[in-house]
Amino acid sequence: MSYRKTLKLICGFAGGSAVLFAAVTAADSRGYFGEQRGEAAGRWSRFTVLQAAQPAWTPASHTPTPTGHAWDFNWDKRDPSALTNGKKKKESATEDPSSEQDNGKPKATRNILLIRHSQYNLSGNNDKERILTPLGREQAELTGQRLAALGLKYDVLIHSSMTRATETANIISKHLPGRVDLVSCDLLREGAPIEPVPPVTHWKPDAVYHEDGARIEAAFRRYIHRADPTQKEDSYEIIVCHANVIRYFVCRALQFPPEGWLRMGLNNGSITWLTIRPSGRVALRTMGDSGFMPPDKLTRT
């Protein structure tokens, strides 16, 4: 392809810029793209034309504008400064005025590893029949091996009471070092947390969102929050549940619009890692990590 045609093709990809097209046409009419000027001269002419056709760059025009609200440090209603509620406390002459508030401040960091259950039998008529497939059991083994390889001391393994999540948790637990308690929770069952935006026509009726949403929000408030002031050491907690629940938790914890949860995807057996600092800051360390699985083991059902 000639250089002339290449530049005109670039103009097309650039949205048909009239300025760029006019510059190319003018340069072409003067023979700047011909071979008679020599290869080096032609290169410089082409560069000058392209450079002149581009809009001027200024820092102001390329600086992103912040959107949305400022970070709410009391998002979990556990901010020590908010817990005092502005009430004056009686203090004796020998007491440190800030000692009571300092004792009420969280000091530990909570690490919450959210695991999506493994592949399961979609043709089951009820929850008891929707057991893990042979591949799903392999996925759970791989997830358990990955969690063990991280070398962390896990404090608890909480799982949804649905069969596929319970089976996944039981397989994972066999790989964890030490004794880790398993806790089943109905709040973590799969459901529709909130009507997604953009909307999807094949999704649930409003009544389902109303019922499931309240339950999943209750699960978020129970498990996703900063450490209690009595917690002395950093903790590592595993929660085995479902894609909708995890995606909603991530949106809520990062203070993103929760109705955006359906824009994300999670593989079976993947690991999503949230870190909650004593200050209430939240970080997403990994989202749907499944790179520890061979490509032929990856599913999203």
Side-chain angles (χ1 to χ4, degrees):
M1 182 183 293
S2 68
Y3 197 78
R4 180 189 312 161
K5 290 182 179 179
T6 301
L7 284 176
K8 290 184 178 180
L9 184 62
I10 292 173
C11 291
F13 280 119
S17 170
V19 175
L20 181 57
F21 186 80
V24 171
T25 304
D28 183 43
S29 66
R30 292 179 173 82
Y32 288 167
F33 297 152
E35 301 299 327
Q36 69 274 13
R37 298 188 62 190
E39 185 178 351
R43 282 200 302 268
W44 282 107
S45 297
R46 296 162 196 160
F47 175 76
T48 303
V49 170
L50 287 173
Q51 187 180 45
Q54 299 305 309
W57 186 93
T58 60
S61 64
H62 289 74
T63 302
T65 302
T67 59
H69 302 287
W71 181 262
D72 177 13
F73 279 93
N74 195 31
W75 59 273
D76 59 352
K77 308 305 177 188
R78 294 169 183 251
D79 185 355
S81 61
L83 291 175
T84 61
N85 202 26
K87 295 180 179 179
K88 294 183 178 180
K89 298 180 175 58
K90 296 181 180 180
E91 302 166 1
S92 66
T94 58
E95 287 181 337
D96 181 356
S98 61
S99 61
E100 186 173 348
Q101 186 172 349
D102 288 341
N103 291 335
K105 287 184 177 180
K107 301 173 180 61
T109 294
R110 293 185 69 215
N111 294 275
I112 303 170
L113 290 86
L114 302 161
I115 313 297
R116 189 191 176 194
H117 61 78
S118 302
Q119 185 192 63
Y120 67 102
N121 174 28
L122 290 170
S123 60
N125 294 319
N126 52 57
D127 180 58
K128 290 184 178 180
E129 294 181 2
R130 295 178 187 134
I131 61 175
L132 297 185
T133 64
L135 174 57
R137 300 187 72 84
E138 287 186 62
Q139 292 170 338
E141 297 280 359
L142 291 168
T143 302
Q145 292 169 14
R146 173 58 177 169
L147 291 171
L150 293 176
L152 303 173
K153 180 181 179 298
Y154 300 105
D155 297 270
V156 66
L157 196 167
I158 306 165
H159 61 86
S160 158
S161 57
M162 298 188 80
T163 299
R164 55 188 182 269
T166 302
E167 290 186 332
T168 301
N170 287 333
I171 295 173
I172 288 175
S173 67
K174 297 175 183 178
H175 295 274
L176 303 181
R179 177 180 173 80
V180 179
D181 292 332
L182 272 71
V183 178
S184 179
C185 180
D186 288 336
L187 293 178
L188 293 168
R189 295 173 71 88
E190 183 64 302
I194 186 174
E195 188 170 358
V197 176
V200 287
T201 56
H202 62 279
W203 206 246
K204 310 291 183 180
D206 291 344
V208 175
Y209 295 115
H210 181 73
E211 182 177 345
D212 288 354
R215 172 177 55 78
I216 296 173
E217 172 64 20
F220 173 82
R221 298 186 185 191
R222 174 177 291 187
Y223 296 115
I224 312 298
H225 55 78
R226 77 192 75 190
D228 188 90
T230 59
Q231 182 176 324
K232 304 302 181 184
E233 298 180 353
D234 295 350
S235 60
Y236 296 88
E237 305 159 45
I238 301 172
I239 299 179
V240 179
C241 53
H242 310 270
N244 295 356
V245 177
I246 294 172
R247 293 181 287 186
Y248 178 78
F249 280 10
V250 169
C251 289
R252 286 281 283 110
L254 298 180
Q255 300 187 23
F256 293 162
E259 61 271 18
W261 63 272
L262 196 55
R263 304 170 200 172
M264 299 177 279
L266 295 173
N267 288 335
N268 294 112
S270 61
I271 302 173
T272 297
W273 186 338
L274 285 172
T275 296
I276 307 176
R277 303 292 182 188
S279 64
R281 293 181 183 272
V282 180
L284 180 64
R285 298 189 61 172
T286 61
M287 176 71 185
D289 176 25
S290 55
F292 51 87
M293 293 189 188
D296 62 338
K297 304 296 182 184
L298 295 175
T299 59
R300 191 182 294 178
T301 58

